[in-house]
Amino acid sequence: MPSDWQLNLMNDIHKGLLKLTGGRAGWHVLGMPVLELTTIGRKSGQPRTVMLTSPTQEGNSIVIVASRGGDDHHPSWFVNLREHPDVTVAYAGKAKVPMRARIASPDERATLWPRVTAAYKGYAGYQKKTEREIPLVLLEPVEASAGQ
């Protein structure tokens, strides 16, 4: 499993590529759109930004996978958004927008997981590496989640 240091380095390199190319490269990886997710750190209260892929979308919702490469621990960004679900997202090179994150229900996950693994087979391999069920997170426009 990649260490926190390695994951942070990969994120920094990815952000550097986007900046260096003026956003012309880096918004798609392995056939999936890339997004920049900013959460609020559960301990620090400071903004924390990571680059993630979205293997599928559901209506106006963007689906992300809390896989951490099949590690037995949830990624920090996932733990942060569980505590503070209001996030900002720059999706596929568009401007940052406020969104609300929520964990997919068991029924939603059962429907979405085959689509996720069809988009990137590595996710199925990650699930086999860990005993934890890898959560799927839906990022929803603030308007759509305001009544929930």
Side-chain angles (χ1 to χ4, degrees):
M1 296 311 116
S3 68
D4 287 340
W5 179 85
Q6 290 168 318
L7 291 170
N8 289 336
L9 178 62
M10 287 188 291
N11 266 287
D12 288 345
I13 290 169
H14 197 151
K15 288 185 239 178
L17 173 67
L18 288 167
K19 187 173 185 174
L20 183 68
T21 65
R24 291 185 305 278
W27 286 110
H28 283 83
V29 172
L30 301 170
M32 295 179 283
V34 170
L35 60 94
E36 183 181 74
L37 173 71
T38 302
T39 62
I40 299 299
R42 69 194 178 285
K43 294 178 185 175
S44 69
Q46 298 300 309
R48 303 290 182 212
T49 301
V50 295
M51 305 301 293
L52 301 169
T53 55
S54 173
T56 189
Q57 296 75 46
E58 182 72 15
N60 290 333
S61 299
I62 301 168
V63 179
I64 54 177
V65 184
S67 65
R68 200 171 193 272
D71 192 77
D72 288 330
H73 303 283
H74 292 305
S76 295
W77 62 261
F78 175 77
V79 181
N80 287 342
L81 66 73
R82 259 193 333 205
E83 184 94 10
H84 303 286
D86 292 320
V87 299
T88 58
V89 176
Y91 181 69
K94 296 184 177 96
K96 290 182 181 184
V97 295
M99 299 189 93
R100 178 166 281 254
R102 69 176 180 84
I103 301 165
S105 71
D107 288 343
E108 288 172 317
R109 189 184 186 285
T111 299
L112 291 169
W113 187 253
R115 290 174 39 197
V116 166
T117 57
Y120 178 62
K121 293 182 184 0
Y123 288 125
Y126 297 159
Q127 184 60 79
K128 289 178 185 174
K129 288 182 186 179
T130 183
E131 292 184 18
R132 72 179 173 96
E133 181 175 80
I134 294 174
L136 300 181
V137 175
L138 287 87
L139 303 172
E140 300 175 327
V142 173
E143 302 79 24
S145 62
Q148 294 182 2

